[in-house]
């Protein structure tokens, strides 16, 4: 057995190997140690291998999914080695042959389809990245639903795309330079763009891929790597994949990972959905709708016509409460047919999944009939309705063939409806008659033996047998009793009888033939359903889109949200804007009314410099407007009285930061990296929010950096920007930058106490109120008194010297600042840069070292 195990383990590579032995999956050696620690199960030992006891642990097959889920969440990959022949077949081969086993599947985070292993409300992306000729390509598949996307990505935008997808698993080719963090390296041979093109054509039955968008070599290479990985995971069987959808980086608003985390779009900074924008607005009633909404929030559209089409559908539901309620009630009854289809295609489906298709397709047809009768149908609804029908023949077939509630486990049968197959009904009747005969036989045996507690039982080892208490067993042991002893256990003794054996054979044969007939029907029904896999997937997507629209309409009606007006020019006009997450939290806490604020950005007034005290609401104001942009371009109403926005191509948020010790970055370093990315990538169509740039270092350094960043955003990036700061010296820039205006959050002191009004007003703040906030925080009175004394002295010094900003009045503008002085020539550097290291012979390398040494000594 160990020879077979080691051969399978070599094939499994770095995966944990689940080795099937009877009713358990066993793990051995290091796999057992890892699994026992992760799963908190007993680690035992058996036999010897190389003179050492073999460590092992195991999990029951019937509950393997729960253990797999824990291993996958812990970052492990698992190969499943199943028995591919019966013990009887192994015995027939003669000798000491052991049951043959083979790896039938590799379970990884990105290749899951089982309900127990997936979050019903989240997509599960497997992503492959490839670089060809300086270009980056990306392929992404959610095999639980068949979604398949390809994208060509600019090198600087790769991180943003990966952040959008939030992949469950990321793969790259072995040897890739600077792979994304957390990527799993796979054989480079799979990332062959030419072979990938051939395979995609064969997979989708087309002569050319041009109809899908004309893919570049990098995209094809990524697709090839993804298909090769799926082929390995499925051991030659590919899961369901819809035709590839090409996504361009300009199709949606680009949002990098730091901005997503800062704005908490789909996950809160503490982890999980609770407290995120998605959690606050999600009113979907289906898992597919929840997944689609998360995708919309993660990738707001950049095409105005498509956004308007989504908004038209939301508006239709928002304006008709009865229609919205009826639609949501119908959707609430729908099963997740997309994922049921994914399991069937992957060969992991069950009779229950066919039942889910039957019920889902029937409900989709009913929903079609209800929506087709409404007046003033938006264009998107008209486009979705045809995708809800066309499955009548399939749903009728499944309705006739299946029982109302088919089981998950097909092994026990009972899922084919009575009347569908007359021969199957006859077999079942025969089996039923046999079981009734066995029940009558049990009564006769009791009467004949006088043992009231005699029972006829069944198990997988003995089949049907007679069982009596040990104290009543002696009469049945007699040679003329008509019973044959089979087994003695603690307290009971088991027997067989000729009459029972005859009836058991009749029942067993009928039941076996019935199970075989049901299995054949299951195979045929599955094949029939899969012939319409593409159309069923389209129906699932259409139902999800309807759920999202109705859910967004429900949220808009709840909160009094407005429909945004989208325009082509760069503006950002918000009246009565609110932060949806904070407003919901305030309402839940019974803390009163959220204070709404206005915003008006345009080409002539594109940068607001916002000052005011801590806790005054500056960060909330910045974030709420960024979230309004996300919601608007995702096709949602927004929390405001009115909103007019120019489309945003890139969204950046530098609000709050934490250190990254694992990468050797302090909080200030993280802030500088994020700010540098904004200055390098923001365009005139971008929207940027910056909060407290320059903090975390010395006051002079911080002010200098903040000053230069404001000038760069205003003069070079020329994007719409909200810049919050405590450096009041920056307000001088309003005199020099024509697109910058000053604003502050209002605060007042009343009887020695600070009152924060959370209202935005024009002009700079009159002072910082830092000591008042410190008092609110509970700073000891002695410390506050000392701070006031120090502040008086500092303010007196500022009045005498001109303060921190002394000398800045004569500073030239950013655009006309003198160029950096040219660096003096460095012959040593020039010599090194001219070297072709790969072409050096050992002799030439030695000569080079001597030459560089002479140059460094001044002799060259």
């Amino acid at each position: 057995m160990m020879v077979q195990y080691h051969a399978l383990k070599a094939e499994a590579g770095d995966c944990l190997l689940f080795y099937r032995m009877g009713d358990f999956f066993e793990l051995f050696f290091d796999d057992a140690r890892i699994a026992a620690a992760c799963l908190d199960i007993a680690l035992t030992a058996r036999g010897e291998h190389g003179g050492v006891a073999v460590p092992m642990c195991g999990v029951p097959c019937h509950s393997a999914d729960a253990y797999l889920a824990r291993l996958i969440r812990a970052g492990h990959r698992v190969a499943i080695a199943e028995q591919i022949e019966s013990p009887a077949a192994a015995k027939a081969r003669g000798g000491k042959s052991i049951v043959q086993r083979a790896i039938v599947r590799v379970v990884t985070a990105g290749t899951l389809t089982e309900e127990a292993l997936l979050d019903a409300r989240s997509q599960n992306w497997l992503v492959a990245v490839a670089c060809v000729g300086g270009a980056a390509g990306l392929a992404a598949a959610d095999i639980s639903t068949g979604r398949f996307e390809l994208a060509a990505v600019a090198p600087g935008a790769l991180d943003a795309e990966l952040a959008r997808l939030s992949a469950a698993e990321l793969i790259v080719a072995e040897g890739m330079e600077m792979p994304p963090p957390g990527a799993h390296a796979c054989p480079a041979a799979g990332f062959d763009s030419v072979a990938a093109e051939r395979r995609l054509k064969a997979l989708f039955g087309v002569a050319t891929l041009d109809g899908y968008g004309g893919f570049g070599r990098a995209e094809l290479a990524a697709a090839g790597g993804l298909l090769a990985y799926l082929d390995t995971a499925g051991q030659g069987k590919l899961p369901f994949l819809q035709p590839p959808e090409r996504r361009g980086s300009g199709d949606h608003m680009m949002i990098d990972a730091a901005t997503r985390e800062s704005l908490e779009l789909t996950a809160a900074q503490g982890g999980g959905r609770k407290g995120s924008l998605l959690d606050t607005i999600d009113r979907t009633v289906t898992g597919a709708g929840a997944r689609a909404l998360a995708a919309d929030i993660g990738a707001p559209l950049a095409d105005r016509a498509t956004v308007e089409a989504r908004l038209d559908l939301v508006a239709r539901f928002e304006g008709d409460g009865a229609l919205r309620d009826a639609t949501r009630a119908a959707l609430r009854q729908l099963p997740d047919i997309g994922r049921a289809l994914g399991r069937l295609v992957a060969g992991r489906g069950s009779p229950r999944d066919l039942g889910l298709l039957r019920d889902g397709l029937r409900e989709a047809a009913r929903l079609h009939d209800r929506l087709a009768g409404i007046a003033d149908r938006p264009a998107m609804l008209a486009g979705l309705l045809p995708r809800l029908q066309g499955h009548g023949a399939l749903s009728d077939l499944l309705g006739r063939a299946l029982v109302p509630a088919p089981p998950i486990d097909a092994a026990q049968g009972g899922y084919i409806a009575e009347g569908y197959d007359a021969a199957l009904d006859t077999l079942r009747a025969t089996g039923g008659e046999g079981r009734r005969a066995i029940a009558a036989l049990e009564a006769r045996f009791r009467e004949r033996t006088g043992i009231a507690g005699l029972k006829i039982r069944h198990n997988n080892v003995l089949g049907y047998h007679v069982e009596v208490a040990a104290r009543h067993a002696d009469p049945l042991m007699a040679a003329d009793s008509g019973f044959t002893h089979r087994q003695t256990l603690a307290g009971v003794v088991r027997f067989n009888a000729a009459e029972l054996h005859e009836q058991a054979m009749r029942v067993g044969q009928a039941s076996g033939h019935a199970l075989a007939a049901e299995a054949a029907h299951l195979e045929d029904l599955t094949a029939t359903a899969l012939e319409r896999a593409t159309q069923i997937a389209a129906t699932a997507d259409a139902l999800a889109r309807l759920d999202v629209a109705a859910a967004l309409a429900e949220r808009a009606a709840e909160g009094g949200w407005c429909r945004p007006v989208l325009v082509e020019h760069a503006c950002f006009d918000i009246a009565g804007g609110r932060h949806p997450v904070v407003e919901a939290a305030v309402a839940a806490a019974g803390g009163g009314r959220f204070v709404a604020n206005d915003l008006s950005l345009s080409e002539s007034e594109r940068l607001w410099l916002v000052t005011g005290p801590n806790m005054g609401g500056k960060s909330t104001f910045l974030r709420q407007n960024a979230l309004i942009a996300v919601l608007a371009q995702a096709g949602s109403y927004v929390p405001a009285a009115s909103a007019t926005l120019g489309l945003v191509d890139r969204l950046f948020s530098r609000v709050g930061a934490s250190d990254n010790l694992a990468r050797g970055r302090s909080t200030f370093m993280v802030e500088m990296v994020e700010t540098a990315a904004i200055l390098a990538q923001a365009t005139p169509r971008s929207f940027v929010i910056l909060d407290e740039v320059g903090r975390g270092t010395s006051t002079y350094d911080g002010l200098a950096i903040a000053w230069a960043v404001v000038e760069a955003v205003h003069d070079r990036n020329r994007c719409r920007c909200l810049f919050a700061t405590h450096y009041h010296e920056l307000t001088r820039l309003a005199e020099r930058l024509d697109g910058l205006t000053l604003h502050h959050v209002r605060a007042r002191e009343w009887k020695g106490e600070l009152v924060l009004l959370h209202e935005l007003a024009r002009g700079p703040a009159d002072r910082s109120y830092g000591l008042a906030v410190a008092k609110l925080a509970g700073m000891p009175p002695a410390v506050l008194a000392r701070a006031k004394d120090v502040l008086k002295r500092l303010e007196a010094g500022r009045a005498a010297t001109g303060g921190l900003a002394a000398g800045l009045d004569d500073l030239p503008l950013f655009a006309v600042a003198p160029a950096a002085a040219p660096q003096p020539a460095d012959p040593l550097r020039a010599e090194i840069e001219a070297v072709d290291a790969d072409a050096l012979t050992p002799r030439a390398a030695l000569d080079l070292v001597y030459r560089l040494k002479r140059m460094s000594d001044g002799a060259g």
Side-chain angles (χ1 to χ4, degrees), residues 580-708:
V581 180
V582 176
E583 182 180 34
V586 169
R593 181 181 62 88
F594 182 91
V595 179
N597 279 295
D598 300 343
L599 172 65
S600 181
L601 297 175
S602 63
E603 176 60 30
S604 60
E605 192 175 313
R606 58 185 177 272
L607 196 160
W608 276 24
L609 189 70
V610 183
T611 54
N614 288 307
M615 299 175 58
K618 299 191 301 299
S619 296
T620 298
F621 176 71
L622 268 59
R623 284 188 172 102
Q624 77 185 32
N625 287 292
L627 295 181
I628 285 173
V630 169
L631 288 169
Q633 290 184 221
S636 169
Y637 278 33
V638 299
S642 67
T644 301
L645 295 87
L647 288 174
V648 174
D649 65 346
R650 293 170 179 259
L651 178 65
F652 295 98
S653 170
R654 223 306 316 151
V655 179
S658 59
D659 55 22
N660 189 333
L661 300 179
R663 299 183 65 181
R665 292 178 176 177
S666 65
T667 302
F668 181 69
M669 182 61 174
V670 170
E671 176 185 308
M672 291 298 98
V673 168
E674 294 174 2
T675 305
I678 293 171
L679 297 178
Q681 300 176 36
T683 75
R685 294 184 57 205
S686 300
F687 183 62
V688 175
I689 59 174
L690 294 163
D691 188 20
E692 305 293 351
V693 170
R695 66 180 174 182
T697 186
S698 74
T699 304
Y700 281 103
D701 284 356
L703 174 58
I705 291 170
W707 187 288

Side-chain angles (χ1 to χ4, degrees), residues 304-330:
R304 179 182 171 190
T306 310
V307 177
E308 294 287 5
R310 287 185 181 178
L311 287 170
D312 288 342
L313 183 56
V314 174
R316 186 65 181 84
F317 283 122
E318 193 272 340
D320 189 336
L323 173 65
R324 182 173 72 248
D325 292 343
T327 301
R328 284 166 56 79

